[in-house]
Amino acid sequence: MAASTTSQRGAGHVPVLVDAVLDALAPRDDAVYVDATFGGGGYSEALLGAARCRVFGIDRDPEAVARGEALAARYGGRLTLIAGPFGDMERLIGPFAPGPISGIAFDLGVSSFQLDSPERGFSFRADGPLDMRMSRDGASAADLVARLSERELAELIAALGEERHARRVAHAIAAGRARGPLVTTGALAEIVRGAIPHHASRREPGLDPATRTFQALRIAVNDELGELDRGLAAAERLLMPGGRLAVVSFHSLEDARVKTFLRRRSEPPRGSRHLPPAAAGPAPSFILRSRRAIRPAADEVARNPRARSARLRAAERTAAAPFAEARP
Ligand SMILES: C[S@@+](CC[C@H](N)C(=O)[O-])C[C@H]1O[C@@H](n2cnc3c(N)ncnc32)[C@H](O)[C@@H]1O
């Protein structure tokens, strides 16, 4: 498949926390890994270079998969690329009969290729269609902005953007769309910037006032939190005992979910010694590699500003049944 013009123009994606992810996954020869968010292929390439392993690279963005074919060709059959959402990873890799999976990596959110392509509609910095669909199908951000009521917009922007001024923003969007359809990132960004009080923007110098609203719409358009829940549950089912999970997230909504998922699954069974073992709750399905999230060092953030908000959580799969299945 030929890479599209967008991919050829993309400025490239610098992988975030790649050494820490490699350290967490500890790749071994002849083992099988899943790179659930292939993007620019930085994690896949690091895994393939570190051991004679096999990697399945998944991305729901067909452009990322097309761009990755050159890397797959270089690794002669050790890298298999699959287009689709990682929430469906069992169905996606199943036909390849991959055998036991030794490690799964998630690097959440969007790539620089996506952010830096105005026509994908993720960026408030450059004007483009108000799209934001990673997979290019389903409802776009423009559809959401047109369809939701002012109240629904306010709730979405508050919940998924953690925007304190969500009601003002939603009101301004509703007024804006009454004048004509809101179909470009530039028009939406202008409306949001105008709705955020000056004193609030001054409190966060360097942060564009449109950031949180764009984040909220992107998460909603791509059902990113639902995907994360499904992806983590699939990883728990797929990983072999001793297999490693590494998740890099970029905002607190994602990180909180990953943290809760791993904390629940790594706690020893509760209950008392008077209870029969079955009533004490499931045995831990993961062992945490560290209690705290790993953050990038200052020099990585200086080299790659996108790393600023990154957090890595890593864990090792035990031999216990997946948590949901182990519940009585
Ligand atoms: C931050 S980039 C990954 C960058 C990659 N680690 C690298 O080093 O080049 C995230 C990628 O994951 C993809 N993605 C995000 N959510 C996804 C999902 N639910 N299923 C599949 N791919 C997803 C995006 O399309 C994007 O290409």
Side-chain angles (χ1 to χ4, degrees):
M1 218 186 307
S4 76
T5 49
T6 306
S7 338
Q8 283 153 5
R9 274 211 314 277
H13 180 95
V14 182
V16 171
L17 281 169
V18 66
D19 291 339
V21 167
L22 266 193
D23 187 52
L25 296 181
R28 291 177 292 106
D29 288 351
D30 303 318
V32 181
Y33 296 88
V34 176
D35 178 356
T37 51
F38 178 78
Y43 287 7
S44 289
E45 191 166 11
L47 285 164
L48 292 161
R52 271 209 66 79
C53 58
R54 179 158 191 214
V55 175
F56 288 91
I58 296 174
D59 205 295
R60 70 193 305 186
D61 185 342
E63 287 191 16
V65 170
R67 198 186 310 111
E69 295 299 349
L71 187 67
R74 277 213 331 262
Y75 280 94
R78 289 208 284 136
L79 172 62
T80 303
L81 293 172
I82 312 172
F86 58 56
D88 280 351
M89 70 171 86
E90 288 151 300
R91 184 181 61 77
L92 295 175
I93 66 172
F96 297 92
I101 306 294
S102 293
I104 302 181
F106 293 85
D107 182 14
L108 301 170
V110 283
S111 70
S112 304
F113 289 106
Q114 293 164 326
L115 263 181
D116 298 340
S117 301
E119 64 270 36
R120 301 299 305 268
F122 290 103
S123 174
F124 42 75
R125 295 208 172 86
D127 200 15
L130 189 54
D131 191 325
M132 301 198 194
R133 294 169 304 170
M134 294 183 196
S135 58
R136 300 272 198 181
D137 55 22
S140 68
D143 294 331
L144 270 194
V145 163
R147 195 178 67 215
L148 297 181
S149 68
E150 181 179 329
R151 187 168 160 189
E152 287 168 330
L153 274 173
E155 284 168 3
L156 185 146
I157 294 166
L160 302 183
E162 301 180 285
E163 171 61 72
R164 286 201 293 142
H165 304 287
R167 280 168 63 183
R168 276 169 177 263
V169 171
H171 187 68
I173 292 175
R177 74 185 175 192
R179 293 191 292 272
L182 272 180
V183 291
T184 66
T185 53
L188 179 68
E190 272 314 300
I191 286 175
V192 179
R193 287 180 192 126
I196 306 278
H198 287 308
H199 65 82
S201 348
R202 275 202 304 271
R203 231 182 283 136
E204 295 179 299
L207 187 81
D208 190 302
T211 306
R212 294 199 171 91
T213 299
F214 271 63
Q215 172 185 304
L217 287 171
R218 196 199 81 200
I219 293 174
V221 164
N222 297 290
D223 184 20
E224 290 181 35
L225 299 179
E227 266 298 301
L228 179 55
D229 292 344
R230 289 187 288 277
L232 291 173
E236 183 187 29
R237 290 189 293 269
L238 277 174
L239 281 170
M240 62 187 277
R244 304 288 184 85
L245 175 68
V247 189
V248 175
S249 60
F250 289 87
H251 57 76
S252 54
L253 294 174
E254 286 170 348
D255 184 55
R257 255 172 152 88
V258 179
K259 183 176 169 185
T260 303
F261 174 90
L262 286 176
R263 200 185 50 220
R264 290 211 182 117
R265 284 158 177 78
S266 56
E267 278 169 354
R270 260 179 293 150
S272 83
R273 58 200 160 89
H274 306 297
L275 287 173
S285 56
F286 281 100
I287 301 163
L288 294 184
R289 299 254 310 152
S290 69
R291 286 198 69 73
R292 285 174 172 276
I294 295 165
R295 310 288 307 266
D299 63 329
E300 176 168 1
V301 177
R303 268 184 283 119
N304 182 12
R306 225 183 68 82
R308 194 184 48 236
S309 50
R311 288 180 178 82
L312 165 67
R313 294 190 185 270
E316 181 173 327
R317 187 73 172 87
T318 67
F323 195 73
E325 288 165 25
R327 278 170 168 257

